[in-house]
Amino acid sequence: MGFLSRLRTSLLPAVLLLALLCVPQPVRGEEAAVVASGDQLCALIVQRLVKYVFWPAAEAPEKIGPFLLAATNAREIRPYFADPATASGMLLSQWPVASCHILLLNGTAPREAAALVARLADQPVLTVGYKLETPPPGLIVNIVERDGRLKLQIDMQAARKAGLVISSRLLQLAQVHDGVSRD
């Protein structure tokens, strides 16, 4: 009897240790998956785009103050511009505004988007589309979702017409168009 009780007390910790080792443990990096909404990613892309776009000297935002971002649906992206530390020095306003450096057409009806882009075509305004059924001709940057990823489409002819220069570093990451339809 004494032998069995000693065996039981010495095996119990070993069995518990073995059970703990067999429980699957999360692998480093899988502990917390980061999930972002499309609107959050769109806001982040717009905030980063300005580093790769150059305005004419007289209109350069870095010389005349913060970037003025107007959005056709500012309410959707306002939470991502609330913190000045992460907003990259941008001031977000609801369209229409007197002037802006960037116009984000987010979820705008096709006819309205086409009219806004045509109205701003000759002005140094970076027009960016997101959640558009069909991007209007003359839209400089279009953010599209394909295969669960956001991708950029850039119209170089529209950028030149607006007097904007797009960095080659950004062009390497985008699908570049020269005034032709985007399929």
Side-chain angles (χ1 to χ4, degrees):
M1 253 331 222
F3 173 73
L4 287 177
S5 69
R6 272 186 276 148
L7 183 63
R8 207 176 316 151
T9 57
S10 64
L11 279 180
L12 184 61
V15 170
L16 286 174
L17 181 62
L18 184 61
L20 285 173
L21 292 175
C22 291
V23 174
Q25 298 294 318
V27 178
R28 187 173 289 277
E30 292 181 11
E31 294 162 358
V34 177
V35 179
S37 71
D39 290 328
Q40 186 176 9
L41 291 173
C42 174
L44 183 64
I45 288 171
V46 169
Q47 290 171 17
R48 300 295 188 262
L49 273 177
V50 297
K51 295 178 183 178
Y52 303 100
V53 177
F54 304 97
W55 277 259
E59 302 289 330
E62 53 273 357
K63 291 185 180 178
I64 60 174
F67 284 96
L68 303 176
L69 168 64
T72 55
N73 190 352
R75 191 181 61 137
E76 294 282 324
I77 62 169
R78 188 166 306 285
Y80 312 113
F81 287 88
D83 182 10
T86 59
S88 301
M90 288 188 179
L91 297 176
L92 175 64
S93 299
Q94 176 67 42
W95 179 263
V97 294
S99 69
C100 62
H101 298 105
I102 306 161
L103 173 61
L104 176 62
L105 302 153
N106 52 337
T108 309
R111 292 182 81 174
E112 182 184 356
L116 289 172
V117 169
R119 177 177 163 190
L120 298 171
D122 297 328
Q123 297 178 30
V125 174
L126 178 65
T127 53
V128 180
Y130 175 65
K131 290 186 188 175
L132 298 178
E133 292 175 25
T134 54
L139 183 70
I140 298 172
V141 178
N142 190 31
I143 303 169
V144 294
E145 186 175 343
R146 286 212 181 111
D147 303 325
R149 299 178 136 205
L150 293 180
K151 300 188 180 209
L152 298 176
Q153 297 174 332
I154 297 177
D155 185 341
M156 289 302 297
Q157 183 177 0
R160 281 190 292 273
K161 188 172 182 183
L164 303 176
V165 176
I166 310 247
S167 166
S168 61
R169 292 179 67 192
L170 180 60
L171 295 175
Q172 291 173 355
L173 302 173
Q175 211 177 10
V176 179
H177 303 276
D178 208 10
V180 294
S181 72
R182 306 159 197 227
D183 294 309

